[in-house]
Amino acid sequence: MSDFTMPSLGADMAAATMMRWRVKPGDGVKRGDVVAEVETDKGLIEIEIFEDGTVEELVAGIGEKLPVGAVLARIRESGTAPLPAVIPAVQRRRVSPLARKIAAELGVELSGIEGSGPGGAIEKADVERAASHPVEASAEEAGTAPLRRAIAAAMEKSNREIPHYHLDATIDMTSALAWLARENELRVIQARLLPAVLLLKAVAGALRVEPDLNGVWRDGRLQRSERIHINFAIALRGGGLITPAIHDVDRKSHDEIMADLNDLVPRVRAGRLRSSELTEGTITVTHLGESVVERVWGVIYPPQVAIVGFGRVAEQPWAENGMLGVRQVLCATLAGDHRASDGRVGARFLDALNQQLQKP
Amino acid sequence: MTDSEIRDAILDGLARIAPEADLASLDPKANLRAALDLDSFDFLRFLIELGEATGVEVPEADYGCVTTLETMSEYITKAARGRGQRGRD
Amino acid sequence: MNARKVTYREALREAMVEALRGDPRVFLMGEDVGAYGGCFAVSRGMLEEFGPERVRDTPLSESAFVGAGIGAALGGMRPIVEVMTCNFSLLAADQIVNTAATLLHMSGGQFSVPLVIRMATGGGKQLAAQHSHSLEGWYAHVPGIRVLVPATLQDARGMMAGALECPDPVLIFEHQTLYNREGELAEDAGAVAIHGAKIQRPGRDLTIVAYGAGLWKSLAAAEALAAEGIDAEVIDLRVLRPLDDATIVESVARTHRVLIVDEGWRSGGIAAEIGMRIMEQAFYQLDRPVARLCGVEVPIPYAPQLEHAALPQVEGILEIARELIHGHE
């Protein structure tokens, strides 16, 4: 028997509310099945299960707000017999009793606090530090929307903990865009590709060359990821943004990536994401090329170690081989976590990215 | 399709893509993507739906002709009529 | 006020001499307390002053002479019984636990047992597993008796008077390593209370709860910690039954971190009881889990390096204290 617990859907998430079960006791489940929907700061998220088995018991009730790690259901693994029920231990955040008491007295929310004690335990000093932190306090008072607070927490953590380095490169997009225009001319409108597809595929290709930018910084070291899951920043119409992951971009064709976008963007905007799309990204790409923005100086989404930014495509005079011409160019930027990689790695990545975009 | 049916199809499509927008007060000469904050993805989805409603597919090369409500109505009307005439031939 | 240099042993003897001089009901008995002057030389010279009627050597039978002490107390005397070490007190456990501690209750409140029993406790003198265990925590489990653990010269000098006045059985545990401890004692030092703990060193960052020999190790550790910028408060428990919860809880409410030093074995020891009381009464004051440093759960070894390793030491206190203040696991 194993516990199916509330997953952490990002470093900024503390709890979520159970909205709907998609399974009932006795149902068989397979790894990757969506078994429940929970409401988070980032909207309604479909939660997937990570093992094969049979649902033994649904523990979490509809409408219950539960912390990360709380038991949602109990699953009997495939091939094991039913066991008599035992009460499972709920994994809690470590907070010293004194810290909990002081936080309650000061009205400080523990979810936003970084613990400095053993195992990340929140102690008195951590609560007092948080209580004297004017930004967090005022965000709470101003009734900031949950999504804004989630972004605030992630970006604050990034800026506090990650030593960023920034690089930029101007890339000639003329041949890539010409290729895209030819492709789209031949396609029915439903099958058209957007420039973002080329950029995502090129980033994935460049990460094959420079894997040190693809992964997470955890336990004081870079943990590279074999698979390339790109978080793609999608703006919400009401403001704010969500960066769901597009899985295995390096193994997908242009059409498959476009199909993923067609599936993802409406779901992001309707607030219907899956847990794996929120948690499994290994790098982030942000694309502000549809405005007048030339360069994006990105802020890394922790615990990732890099973010790639794309500005607008514009016609510019371009000198090459002693000849001056007009080309369509775009500025690509990279923000890297200097703990995990150095500027040289970033430079090689941008170089590889440029080469990828010359031959889509 | 009449002119007003085409106009309604455009407005319906925009309302689905930008449900929060006040389309009644939309300036017919305003740049649609700027006024309604449509990104390339929104705009492509809108054109796909519009194509399904009107039978007119706007090629990428003609995006410059459909930037405002007014020019888009004209473009679709003209294209739909051309198609219709070809249909009668 | 004039002070003079005395040892812990001399302070204990002064207290007994004063008691024998002042009250004809008081007498001392035990193995070798007379001609030999006591196994730890506490009663040396007392036979000469008070004679064999009042300083009585007994046969090697703890059950018999502790039982005789109970009888004498019931008969109106004020006996002081010396049981060489607390290991041997187990031979008299029936007399102490089943008789002395219960008689008031079982007689419907008719018979008090005003008996004082002194015994040596603890390790550190290479007296091996026969003579070195710390069983005061066991006796602190028993209702009906009072358990004193004098660590200072003042308490060694002053607790006897109160113990003799107490209508109930009082057990006094004298740590073997303290007998030779020398220090200043006021000329007019006299009776002290036989209840309540005492803060021996005030501090802000951490509470160390200790008793007996552990007090001095804790104070030494606190001095070393002060040099590192850690300000430890050290509490001398003085009395293990009844425990002074208030002093401990008030201290934890100031420091929020606590270490209990107890030479007794860890499982079911007095440190466990103190930790539990902190949980009950000061849970919401804790910023770290309660820590304890106890004797290793082995019979106390004879070999000096093994004996050293089996007992709480200053280095161990320092290590846990640093962990409680700075530790991140």
Side-chain angles (χ1 to χ4, degrees), chain B residues 2 8 17 21-22 26 29 34 39 45 47-48 50 53 55 60 62-63 65-66 68-69 77 82 88-89:
Chain B
T2 67
D8 287 348
I17 299 288
D22 177 13
L26 181 65
K29 291 185 168 22
D39 62 18
R45 266 177 61 223
L47 289 182
I48 290 171
L50 189 62
E60 275 190 339
D62 288 349
Y63 279 11
C65 306
V66 294
T68 71
L69 188 57
T77 307
R88 271 202 294 276
D89 287 343

Side-chain angles (χ1 to χ4, degrees), chain A residues 25-329:
Chain A
D27 284 359
V29 289
K30 290 196 312 298
R31 181 184 165 85
D33 283 356
V34 171
V35 294
E37 294 172 21
V38 300
E39 181 80 40
T40 73
D41 289 352
K42 293 176 179 173
L44 200 64
I45 307 294
E46 297 176 334
I47 304 278
E48 296 143 292
I49 198 153
F50 291 96
E51 63 189 323
D52 299 347
T54 307
V55 177
E56 182 76 15
E57 183 194 354
L58 301 181
V59 179
I62 302 302
E64 257 189 275
K65 184 167 185 180
L66 297 154
V68 170
V71 176
L72 302 179
R74 298 193 313 112
I75 307 296
R76 192 169 69 244
E77 298 94 333
S78 303
T80 59
L83 287 170
V86 290
I87 298 164
V90 175
Q91 201 184 328
R92 279 178 105 200
R93 251 202 106 172
R94 284 185 163 195
V95 184
S96 88
L98 178 63
R100 212 176 270 285
K101 174 166 159 269
I102 294 174
E105 285 166 2
L106 297 176
V108 176
E109 258 208 63
L110 291 167
S111 59
I113 300 180
E114 192 92 355
S116 67
I122 298 173
E123 298 181 339
K124 174 171 170 264
D126 301 317
V127 175
E128 287 170 348
R129 210 163 24 243
S132 64
H133 200 301
V135 176
E136 282 178 0
S138 65
E140 286 293 324
E141 283 159 21
T144 307
L147 176 61
R148 196 70 248 160
R149 281 212 299 271
I151 295 171
M155 293 301 101
E156 209 176 8
K157 181 177 168 67
S158 175
N159 225 20
R160 189 170 56 234
E161 293 178 4
I162 303 180
H164 287 63
Y165 66 85
H166 297 275
L167 304 172
D168 67 308
T170 302
I171 293 175
D172 180 1
M173 291 291 287
T174 311
S175 60
L177 292 175
W179 177 87
L180 187 66
R182 275 198 308 280
E183 273 289 313
N184 281 342
E185 221 174 322
L186 302 172
R187 289 162 177 255
V188 294
I189 190 164
Q190 284 83 355
R192 269 182 210 166
L193 302 174
L194 290 170
V197 172
L198 292 189
L199 299 175
L200 285 167
K201 186 141 180 68
V203 167
L207 286 174
R208 280 265 153 259
V209 180
E210 268 317 322
D212 278 359
L213 298 175
N214 187 55
V216 293
W217 182 262
R218 201 167 275 150
D219 302 330
R221 66 185 184 89
L222 168 66
Q223 301 184 358
R224 281 186 210 86
S225 171
E226 272 303 304
R227 298 170 67 184
I228 297 177
H229 305 319
I230 300 183
N231 282 134
F232 185 61
I234 296 173
L236 299 186
R237 300 200 56 80
L241 64 96
I242 288 190
T243 56
I246 304 174
H247 291 96
D248 296 312
V249 179
D250 56 324
R251 297 184 203 162
K252 285 182 173 153
S253 66
H254 289 110
D255 289 296
E256 286 170 325
I257 298 170
M258 188 66 207
D260 280 355
L261 281 178
N262 281 328
D263 168 50
L264 262 185
V265 177
R267 281 199 290 115
V268 165
R269 294 194 173 150
R272 297 189 72 88
L273 278 173
R274 293 188 195 118
S275 49
S276 61
E277 290 163 344
L278 274 181
T279 54
E280 293 181 347
T282 56
I283 189 169
T284 298
V285 169
T286 178
H287 183 212
L288 288 178
E290 303 189 5
S291 58
V292 295
V293 168
E294 303 261 353
R295 278 176 184 74
V296 187
W297 301 111
V299 181
I300 297 167
Y301 183 62
Q304 293 173 10
V305 294
I307 180 168
V308 178
F310 293 107
R312 67 165 178 160
V313 174
E315 289 197 328
Q316 271 184 23
W318 187 266
E320 200 173 84
N321 300 326
M323 297 287 286
L324 193 61
V326 173
R327 299 280 175 88
Q328 291 184 296
V329 303

Side-chain angles (χ1 to χ4, degrees), chain C residues 69-133:
Chain C
I70 294 170
L74 288 169
M77 301 297 279
R78 290 292 180 269
I80 302 171
V81 175
E82 181 179 305
V83 177
M84 198 185 297
T85 76
C86 66
N87 293 57
F88 302 146
S89 77
L90 297 186
L91 292 155
D94 174 58
Q95 296 293 354
I96 298 170
V97 178
N98 289 335
T99 304
T102 59
L103 259 180
L104 181 65
H105 166 77
M106 297 211 287
S107 67
Q110 295 183 77
F111 302 120
S112 291
V113 183
L115 166 69
V116 176
I117 304 175
R118 294 175 40 241
M119 45 188 135
T121 187
K125 302 290 276 185
Q126 273 201 276
L127 295 174
Q130 296 93 328
H131 313 95
S132 302
H133 292 151

Side-chain angles (χ1 to χ4, degrees), chain A residues 94 96-98 116 118 123-124, chain C residues 256 283-284 286-288 328:
Chain A
R94 284 185 163 195
S96 88
L98 178 63
S116 67
E123 298 181 339
K124 174 171 170 264
Chain C
H256 312 298
F283 179 76
Y284 293 104
L286 289 173
D287 216 9
R288 283 280 168 102
H328 299 277

Side-chain angles (χ1 to χ4, degrees), chain A residues 12-23:
Chain A
D12 39 19
M13 169 174 159
T17 305
M18 174 59 61
M19 300 308 285
R20 187 176 157 214
W21 279 108
R22 297 264 200 99
V23 292

Side-chain angles (χ1 to χ4, degrees), chain C residues 298-314:
Chain C
V298 293
I300 298 296
Y302 171 75
Q305 62 273 50
L306 294 180
E307 182 183 44
H308 184 87
L311 302 173
Q313 303 295 354
V314 175

